[in-house]
Amino acid sequence: MSVPDTAATAAAVVDEILSAVVADRTVLEEVTAGVLARGHVLLEDVPGTGKTLTARSFATALGLEFSRIQFTPDLMPADITGSYVFEEETGEFHFTPGPVFANVVLADEINRAPPKTQSALLEAMGEGQVTVDGETHDLPDPFVVIATQNPVEQEGTFELPEAQRDRFMIKTSLGYPDADGTRELIDRRADRDRPDPTVDPVVDRERVLELQRVPEGIAVEGPVRDYIGDVCRATRTDGRVDVGVSPRGVQRLFEVSRARAVLEGREYVVPEDIKRIAGPALAHRLVLTPEASVDGVSRRAVIDGVLEECAVPAMEPPSADQ
């Protein structure tokens, strides 16, 4: 697919989701960029903001198989990955896939399960496979995890370890709707005779795979690559940060910046693409110092400060023969 066609298709997907989900378009575009870049998404928000509906709507609009895993304190790793079951008729064990075997997996309230269960997603998110009793099983392609967590109610929850957070390409928040969105929610509730908004498929699995190949051809010139490196390295020397962006985080920012350019219909990345996506792509990877945490410093504020400090390269659009 061409870049303009991909941008138009992605816009149509977002438009379709907005027909059912009351949310900021920018947030949905951030999620879309993560999907195009073959990444996973973490939605952190208070209850009732539409996180589950958003994940389900993305799966439907993309024509992909959807699965929901409700994370609870008693959830076991096998409840996610699946397990071997003994068949009396044959006298053999056969593998029964768990709910992780879907194209779009909603890990709902992921921080309510203990770390042992959370770690069951590590291999799936990093390698696109799961290993059960020494046997490796490939997951469907494409494979996207959309996890949700509640930042307010922390009793009985387990904070995601740094290694788990680093597996997510994008972390974003739906937030509260604006005045028009709030009125739309009220009008939907008042008119019970009108069917609830539903999402129709815009593309299918094969088209999604085509869409995901497009960012690989996006040009990233040398000065822009250096800018990505400068931004990520600056997080490691910031006095408010104990652990900065990892090498994996550098690669993920590079990948999602190309997807961001695709959404703009461009065949090359500009510094503005990096500025727009750096917060969702990098903030959750930072570990703040105890002093910064006590002072209420936010990770997003650190990224904003780093972006202000790093020199933005001047660049010309790549020539057609490059």
Side-chain angles (χ1 to χ4, degrees):
M1 295 182 67
S2 68
V3 171
D5 287 344
T6 302
T9 302
V13 169
V14 173
D15 288 339
E16 184 64 26
I17 295 171
L18 283 172
S19 69
V21 178
V22 178
D24 190 320
R25 186 182 189 90
T26 300
V27 175
L28 298 185
E29 288 180 348
E30 292 170 353
V31 177
T32 303
V35 174
L36 286 180
R38 298 178 179 271
H40 307 289
V41 179
L42 178 61
L43 297 177
E44 182 177 79
D45 227 322
V46 296
T49 51
K51 300 185 293 295
T52 300
L53 177 61
T54 298
R56 188 183 298 274
S57 297
F58 260 99
T60 302
L62 294 172
L64 299 175
E65 182 184 0
F66 176 78
S67 176
R68 176 181 178 179
I69 306 173
Q70 184 66 52
F71 278 66
T72 57
D74 60 347
L75 190 72
M76 300 296 292
D79 297 327
I80 298 174
T81 61
S83 59
Y84 282 89
V85 178
F86 181 74
E87 283 190 351
E88 293 186 0
E89 295 180 358
T90 62
E92 297 178 348
F93 286 89
H94 76 276
F95 179 67
T96 301
V100 76
F101 284 83
N103 297 122
V104 178
V105 177
L106 170 61
D108 212 0
E109 296 187 284
I110 189 173
N111 57 333
R112 290 207 172 277
K116 180 179 180 180
T117 302
Q118 293 176 5
S119 66
L121 281 177
L122 281 176
E123 182 184 14
M125 295 171 65
E127 307 296 334
Q129 63 184 29
V130 296
T131 302
V132 180
D133 292 344
E135 294 289 333
T136 299
H137 305 271
D138 292 331
L139 293 169
D141 188 22
F143 175 70
V144 179
V145 172
I146 300 180
T148 71
Q149 64 178 9
N150 176 5
V152 178
E153 186 182 352
Q154 296 300 317
E155 183 176 353
T157 64
F158 303 85
E159 183 178 1
L160 290 178
E162 288 78 8
Q164 184 84 358
R165 291 204 307 266
D166 208 38
R167 292 299 199 279
F168 289 99
M169 179 173 283
I170 294 291
K171 179 187 175 186
T172 189
S173 172
L174 295 172
Y176 291 114
D178 58 15
D180 292 338
T182 302
R183 176 57 187 269
E184 173 65 19
L185 290 172
I186 295 173
D187 291 344
R188 290 181 186 180
R189 177 61 183 85
D191 188 1
R192 279 303 193 184
D193 293 332
R194 186 177 65 177
D196 291 335
T198 58
V199 174
D200 294 323
V202 176
V203 293
D204 57 18
R205 174 184 172 276
E206 294 302 322
R207 181 54 62 91
V208 172
L209 293 174
E210 291 180 21
L211 294 173
Q212 290 182 328
R213 286 192 286 268
V214 174
E216 294 297 321
I218 298 300
V220 186
E221 296 299 289
V224 179
R225 298 185 185 196
D226 291 337
Y227 181 58
I228 292 174
D230 292 343
V231 169
C232 293
R233 285 198 309 275
T235 65
R236 304 169 192 162
T237 58
D238 191 292
R240 298 166 292 180
V241 178
D242 199 10
V243 179
V245 174
S246 68
R248 180 190 290 119
V250 177
Q251 293 178 320
R252 297 300 173 265
L253 178 58
F254 175 79
E255 293 164 356
V256 77
S257 66
R258 292 189 299 183
R260 182 68 253 184
V262 169
L263 295 182
E264 296 297 325
R266 264 187 282 99
E267 298 183 356
Y268 56 92
V269 174
V270 298
E272 187 62 29
D273 295 321
I274 297 163
K275 286 185 174 183
R276 293 182 66 178
I277 206 66
L282 299 182
H284 63 286
R285 305 178 192 276
L286 304 181
V287 179
L288 301 182
T289 63
E291 295 79 9
S293 298
V294 170
D295 292 341
V297 175
S298 71
R299 296 185 178 97
R300 282 292 186 99
V302 172
I303 297 299
D304 291 341
V306 165
L307 291 172
E308 290 181 3
E309 294 173 3
C310 290
V312 179
M315 58 166 290
E316 296 292 333
S319 59
D321 58 349
Q322 286 185 324

